[in-house]
Amino acid sequence: MAVTDEAIEKIKGMIVSGALRPGDRLPKESELAAELGLSRNSLREAVRALSLIRILDVRQGDGTYVTSLDPQLLLEALSFVVDFHRDDTVLEFLAVRRILEPAATAMAAFTIGEQQLDVLSAQLDALGEDPSVEELVAADLEFHRGIVRGAGNSVLCSLLDGLSGPTTRARIWRGLTQEDAVGRTLREHRAILAALRDRDAEAARSWATVHIASVEQWLRSTL
């Protein structure tokens, strides 16, 4: 493992230094191993590891390339790790969302376009006043995703996208068991949307905080 770690660090060093850039093809395995002073086996293991976290793209019969290194691509690995969460860590995921998502919502107040707001409004209207819990949770995920996209920060968008998965089951559970959870969620969504239309960053931040904290508070009371 130590030899593989060394190989990973050497390839990483080439990318960080600019010797290898996004989209570049790596030299042939034998040439690269000799250049880096590595065995071909350790190089092969390093390439396999770096391909799993989307740093490298191994194309059968064509060679190995550095990926675009786009944040959204690299943060796919976070979603993979997040899938292994335990039920007792859902509160921790909600706490992180409560820190990041209101900040993203406040940012969106300055950057989200009117057309994007119209789309979010139309999605809320299409949902109606009495959606099923499953429909509401799916719409909730898309609503917040749309707002964070509107903030214009791809890293933040990818982080929040990866963190939202573990809280889905808690939101469905709340919708099925808490009185007026559906109506409350819809009202909070409309309040967030109104604050964004008014370009009121602090109101948007506050409503987003209330929205996430209400799920967190409910879950704490039921565990």
Side-chain angles (χ1 to χ4, degrees):
M1 183 57 72
V3 177
T4 303
D5 288 345
E6 181 188 0
I8 289 171
E9 284 300 315
K10 287 187 174 181
I11 296 173
K12 174 185 169 184
M14 291 180 73
I15 295 171
V16 171
S17 70
L20 286 172
R21 297 183 178 279
D24 282 356
R25 181 177 176 172
L26 269 64
K28 290 181 180 178
E29 185 181 272
S30 56
E31 295 173 7
L32 186 59
E35 180 183 342
L36 297 178
L38 300 167
S39 72
R40 293 177 68 171
N41 278 342
S42 61
L43 177 61
R44 205 170 291 135
E45 289 299 318
V47 166
R48 186 176 293 118
L50 290 169
S51 68
L52 287 173
I53 57 172
R54 305 294 195 267
I55 301 293
L56 298 178
D57 178 19
V58 180
R59 303 176 190 174
Q60 200 67 36
D62 186 19
T64 300
Y65 292 79
V66 181
T67 67
S68 65
L69 302 180
D70 180 79
Q72 191 164 1
L73 180 69
L74 298 180
L75 287 168
E76 282 181 10
L78 173 66
S79 298
F80 181 78
V81 172
V82 162
D83 285 341
F84 289 96
H85 79 281
R86 305 183 311 275
D87 285 349
D88 59 358
T89 63
V90 172
L91 279 169
E92 294 178 11
F93 283 107
L94 279 168
V96 175
R97 274 192 69 208
R98 181 165 42 82
I99 294 166
L100 295 179
E101 199 158 300
T105 306
M107 288 168 60
F110 300 109
T111 56
I112 195 167
E114 288 296 327
Q115 188 174 359
Q116 290 170 288
L117 290 172
D118 288 343
V119 169
L120 291 173
S121 183
Q123 288 172 345
L124 278 178
D125 290 343
L127 197 58
E129 296 302 318
D130 190 28
S132 70
V133 171
E134 289 78 8
E135 288 172 336
L136 179 68
V137 171
D140 183 64
L141 290 168
E142 194 54 41
F143 180 79
H144 293 290
R145 187 178 290 125
I147 291 172
V148 177
R149 279 198 212 103
N153 186 311
S154 61
V155 175
L156 194 53
C157 188
S158 298
L159 277 171
L160 284 167
D161 219 26
L163 290 169
S164 65
T167 65
T168 300
R169 188 164 64 176
R171 280 181 275 182
I172 291 174
W173 182 18
R174 178 201 183 203
L176 290 170
T177 59
Q178 187 182 40
E179 186 178 353
D180 196 35
V182 172
R184 181 174 179 173
T185 297
L186 291 172
R187 290 191 295 272
E188 288 168 355
H189 278 189
R190 294 201 178 279
I192 292 169
L193 193 55
L196 291 173
R197 283 203 184 277
D198 291 340
R199 305 298 171 182
D200 188 335
E202 287 312 308
R205 185 199 305 274
S206 297
W207 276 113
T209 302
V210 166
H211 184 57
I212 298 165
S214 64
V215 180
E216 188 179 0
Q217 185 180 40
W218 168 81
L219 186 58
R220 285 186 189 281
S221 69
T222 59
L223 292 178

